[in-house]
Amino acid sequence: MDGVEQTNESWRILIVEDDERLAELTREYLESNGLTVSLETHGGPAVERIRNEQPDLVVLDLMLPGEDGLSICRRVRPFYSGPIIMLTARTDDLDQVLGLEMGADDYIGKPVKPRVLLARIRAMLRRVTEGSQGAGDEGSGEEPVRLQFNDLVVDRSMREAWLNDESIDLTSAEFDLLWLLASNAGRVLSREEIFTALRGIEYDGQDRSIDVRVSRIRPKIGDDPIHPRRIKTVRSKGYLFVKEA
């Protein structure tokens, strides 16, 4: 068994997977490592279960009976802000891009290795937990918990952002990326740096998830998608968050 972290005890995971044997084996592994796991094997009831249970994280299969994972992801985002990891047996980049555009935070190819899934779950939930516990850091000489750039405010402790005092609707992964870029304002971050910081694995040079998320974040923070002034693409290098946009 992997070392169980004390903070894992309160983490509740909902797995939506129609392969009952795989789902049960995955549940056993995750629970042996300190997580609380519930299962749903049909796409039909998944939306209401997510709405009612509000799990800390959802593991969502792409291909499901009743309703597919993309549709479920799109429908739950208005009322569920937790991380969603999508499982896909397909290798088509389009499915991965669509999943991210519908609001998924990460994706893992099937067959799923339980150890890899556990590592991704822990990494995502740690970021959420650390952000919410960061309220006491301000003034301590550590990284600030609130950043302001004219009409844009990003708060790490609340995991929220505002534009002209209006709350911005961001997924967990979008917030993590926005915070990473904003807290490094004025410095170009390569896709390799961003990928490693957010997903904890090396960038393979092909993954488009960072580009998709940037394209989703730009209009939400009042940036021009065609001629961005706040999050600039630096050709062959990465992305730059401009301090005074």
Side-chain angles (χ1 to χ4, degrees):
M1 184 193 304
D2 293 278
V4 179
E5 297 183 25
Q6 197 69 21
T7 53
N8 288 2
E9 293 178 358
S10 60
W11 287 344
R12 297 172 299 110
I13 313 300
L14 174 63
I15 298 177
V16 186
E17 165 62 72
D18 64 325
D19 185 331
E20 294 186 28
R21 182 174 179 276
L22 173 62
E24 192 58 51
L25 289 172
T26 304
R27 171 160 69 177
E28 289 177 5
Y29 181 83
L30 295 180
E31 288 188 337
S32 73
N33 282 276
L35 302 176
T36 300
V37 181
S38 54
L39 302 179
E40 176 55 62
T41 58
H42 196 278
V47 171
E48 286 309 308
R49 285 201 60 181
I50 295 170
R51 183 196 301 273
N52 295 333
E53 297 177 22
Q54 292 291 314
D56 295 304
L57 181 144
V58 175
V59 178
L60 180 63
D61 192 19
L62 178 63
M63 303 299 293
L64 292 164
E67 185 171 0
D68 66 77
L70 291 176
S71 174
I72 292 169
C73 191
R74 176 182 56 80
R75 289 179 60 201
V76 303
R77 269 317 181 196
F79 56 80
Y80 178 71
S81 60
I84 296 176
I85 298 178
M86 190 160 282
L87 306 180
T88 173
R90 300 178 181 177
T91 57
D92 190 349
D93 284 347
L94 180 59
D95 286 324
Q96 298 170 351
V97 170
L98 283 173
L100 295 167
E101 289 180 342
M102 292 297 131
D105 296 286
D106 200 356
Y107 53 84
I108 301 177
K110 298 173 79 174
V112 180
K113 295 180 180 178
R115 186 181 294 270
V116 172
L117 178 59
L118 176 64
R120 297 281 187 90
I121 290 172
R122 280 178 170 170
M124 278 198 168
L125 291 177
R126 267 199 212 100
R127 283 199 297 272
V128 174
T129 303
E130 288 169 0
S132 64
Q133 292 175 346
D137 293 347
E138 203 158 19
S140 65
E142 300 178 10
E143 184 182 35
V145 297
R146 175 172 286 219
L147 301 171
Q148 182 160 3
F149 305 91
N150 298 322
D151 54 355
L152 175 67
V153 178
V154 188
D155 191 302
R156 181 168 63 97
S157 63
M158 299 180 68
R159 292 186 64 79
E160 288 189 43
W162 298 266
L163 182 66
N164 295 317
D165 297 323
E166 294 288 331
S167 180
I168 302 172
D169 182 21
L170 296 168
T171 68
S172 180
E174 288 168 359
F175 179 85
D176 288 335
L177 177 54
L178 176 59
W179 178 264
L180 180 65
L181 293 170
S183 61
N184 287 277
R187 183 168 81 87
V188 177
L189 294 181
S190 68
R191 287 176 177 82
E192 291 82 358
E193 286 179 278
I194 296 170
F195 201 81
T196 301
L198 296 184
R199 295 185 65 184
I201 56 177
E202 291 186 6
Y203 181 60
D204 62 5
Q206 304 296 320
D207 192 290
R208 296 176 57 196
S209 60
I210 302 301
D211 302 322
V212 171
R213 286 192 189 116
V214 168
S215 69
R216 284 176 56 86
I217 291 170
R218 277 173 172 152
K220 293 183 179 184
I221 63 172
D223 214 353
D224 185 338
I226 306 301
H227 302 290
R229 57 188 176 79
R230 209 158 229 154
I231 302 178
K232 291 183 174 290
T233 303
V234 181
R235 188 179 297 276
S236 301
K237 291 188 177 180
Y239 290 103
L240 171 68
F241 190 98
V242 180
K243 289 183 179 181
E244 300 297 332

